[in-house]
Amino acid sequence: MKLSTRTRYGLRMLIDLAQHYNKGPLQISEISKVEDISEKYLGQISIILKNNGIIDSARGSQGGFYLTRDPALINLRQIVETLEGDLSIVNCTADQGECGRSSKCITKSIWVELSNAITSTLEKYTLLDLVNMNVEKSNPMFYI
């Protein structure tokens, strides 16, 4: 499984919005400049995030995008599924059903375990966790 740039860039955009949560909307041009991501591409990503209720927008000179809920309530699974789609690594582990070989498939249990591990790891982290990780990384402690 490989995440697309849409997910990686979308997550960077959401981290910026999470850092500014309750401080007013951010314009795409600001995020684009800070993150060095094409404004046009961020616009496409924002449509997906907005249509799925993760962000919303305000019009006007003070307008821009903002998170629809607290960053502590948005986990990475929600974001990745929104931007990538189903997280199952093979079709037989998805809700789509079984293949004709499912009853005698040696590897199915491994694929299910791996899919569950990916899902549970992404559910464990929220946008707020990433904001806090970013703060820690930006302000390293030095011991003498």
Side-chain angles (χ1 to χ4, degrees):
M1 179 174 153
K2 190 173 187 176
L3 296 177
S4 67
T5 56
R6 179 176 52 227
T7 297
R8 296 192 328 266
Y9 292 176
L11 197 50
R12 286 167 48 191
M13 175 185 187
L14 291 171
I15 291 167
D16 283 350
L17 294 176
Q19 289 171 323
H20 290 87
Y21 185 68
N22 281 336
K23 296 178 185 171
L26 285 177
Q27 295 182 351
I28 284 204
S29 59
E30 294 175 70
I31 299 168
S32 171
K33 184 186 276 185
V34 169
E35 295 298 333
D36 193 28
I37 301 170
S38 156
E39 223 175 294
K40 185 176 178 181
Y41 196 30
L42 281 178
Q44 294 170 0
I45 293 167
S46 66
I47 291 169
I48 297 167
L49 294 170
K50 185 175 177 181
N51 288 341
N52 285 277
I54 295 175
I55 64 172
D56 205 352
S57 62
R59 292 180 176 255
S61 62
Q62 301 300 311
F65 289 95
Y66 57 91
L67 294 176
T68 58
R69 56 193 188 275
D70 190 303
L73 302 176
I74 304 172
N75 69 42
L76 296 189
R77 178 185 180 181
Q78 295 165 324
I79 296 165
V80 174
E81 281 183 336
T82 296
L83 294 170
E84 290 291 335
D86 182 30
L87 294 177
S88 300
I89 60 168
V90 291
N91 288 338
C92 67
T93 64
D95 294 333
Q96 301 164 0
E98 311 260 331
C99 72
R101 298 185 42 82
S102 188
S103 63
K104 53 187 169 186
C105 179
I106 297 168
T107 57
K108 181 177 179 181
S109 63
I110 295 168
W111 305 144
V112 169
E113 183 180 346
L114 183 56
S115 288
N116 290 341
I118 290 169
T119 300
S120 66
T121 299
L122 291 173
E123 286 176 344
K124 188 169 63 173
Y125 296 99
T126 67
L127 275 178
L128 183 59
D129 293 328
L130 295 180
V131 168
N132 292 335
M133 287 176 192
N134 189 37
V135 169
E136 289 172 13
K137 193 172 189 173
S138 300
N139 300 315
M141 285 288 232
F142 294 102
Y143 297 99
I144 300 175

